[in-house]
Amino acid sequence: MQRYSTKQRKVMLDYLASHKDESVSASRIAEDLKQSGISKSAVYRNLALLEKEGKLAKSSKEGSRCVYYRYKDAGDCRSHIHLSCQVCGKTYHMASPATENIVSSVEKDSDFSVDRSSSVLYGICGTCRHKVE
Ligand SMILES: [Zn+2]
Ligand SMILES: [Zn+2]
């Protein structure tokens, strides 16, 4: 068993932080990090660990066995919800007061504390929608 490497972890966190606007598939992460000398198994092991620590949100797309990760520990991501495009995988950070008003009225009405960094609304972004139409 390999020892847990803090250097690998740092490289992975840097990579994920620079892709915080996307949900990146595990296989693409492994492919991109190959150049940094991190093996596929190390990538998968670290992804699982980081998810457990609450730094990553895991998702999947309909009709696909791929697993996608989104870095949710970036800056103020804990204070807003996110929109995720099911076509291109782009993440939109909903930092507007209007969105926060909706979330806080949900909390008030239902006596529920919303985990904003994990909350995602799925749909299709403008760019992808205009391509289809
Ligand atoms: Zn965010
Ligand atoms: Zn899109």
Side-chain angles (χ1 to χ4, degrees):
M1 193 68 188
Q2 246 179 312
R3 284 197 56 199
Y4 185 63
S5 157
T6 48
K7 192 179 159 242
Q8 279 178 358
R9 183 190 165 88
K10 168 114 183 27
V11 172
M12 290 200 49
L13 281 174
D14 285 350
Y15 174 86
L16 291 159
S18 68
H19 291 81
K20 72 183 177 74
D21 292 339
E22 300 166 68
S23 290
V24 197
S25 71
S27 52
R28 193 184 136 200
I29 299 172
E31 188 60 34
D32 287 349
L33 288 177
K34 217 157 68 180
Q35 305 149 0
S36 312
I38 303 180
S39 72
K40 202 167 162 177
S41 63
V43 166
Y44 282 81
R45 197 172 55 238
N46 279 295
L47 285 173
L49 265 170
L50 291 168
E51 190 208 347
K52 228 168 153 182
E53 291 169 22
K55 293 190 189 304
L56 299 179
K58 192 161 124 181
S59 63
S60 52
K61 287 181 192 172
E62 258 181 51
S64 158
R65 291 209 332 246
C66 278
V67 179
Y68 294 83
Y69 287 95
R70 178 174 61 79
Y71 186 52
K72 62 173 191 179
D73 209 27
D76 49 3
C77 277
R78 289 189 184 277
S79 62
H80 54 238
I81 63 166
H82 299 83
L83 304 185
S84 178
C85 175
Q86 288 168 304
V87 177
C88 67
K90 190 163 166 39
T91 295
Y92 294 85
H93 304 262
M94 297 305 290
S96 78
T99 314
E100 179 50 31
N101 282 344
I102 297 170
V103 179
S104 38
S105 57
V106 167
E107 291 186 313
K108 229 169 95 191
D109 289 354
S110 47
D111 188 25
F112 192 88
S113 169
V114 175
D115 175 0
R116 287 163 175 72
S117 64
S118 300
S119 300
V120 180
L121 299 179
Y122 292 97
I124 302 175
C125 76
T127 316
C128 293
R129 229 173 41 236
H130 299 312
K131 256 186 243 164
V132 176
E133 273 162 15

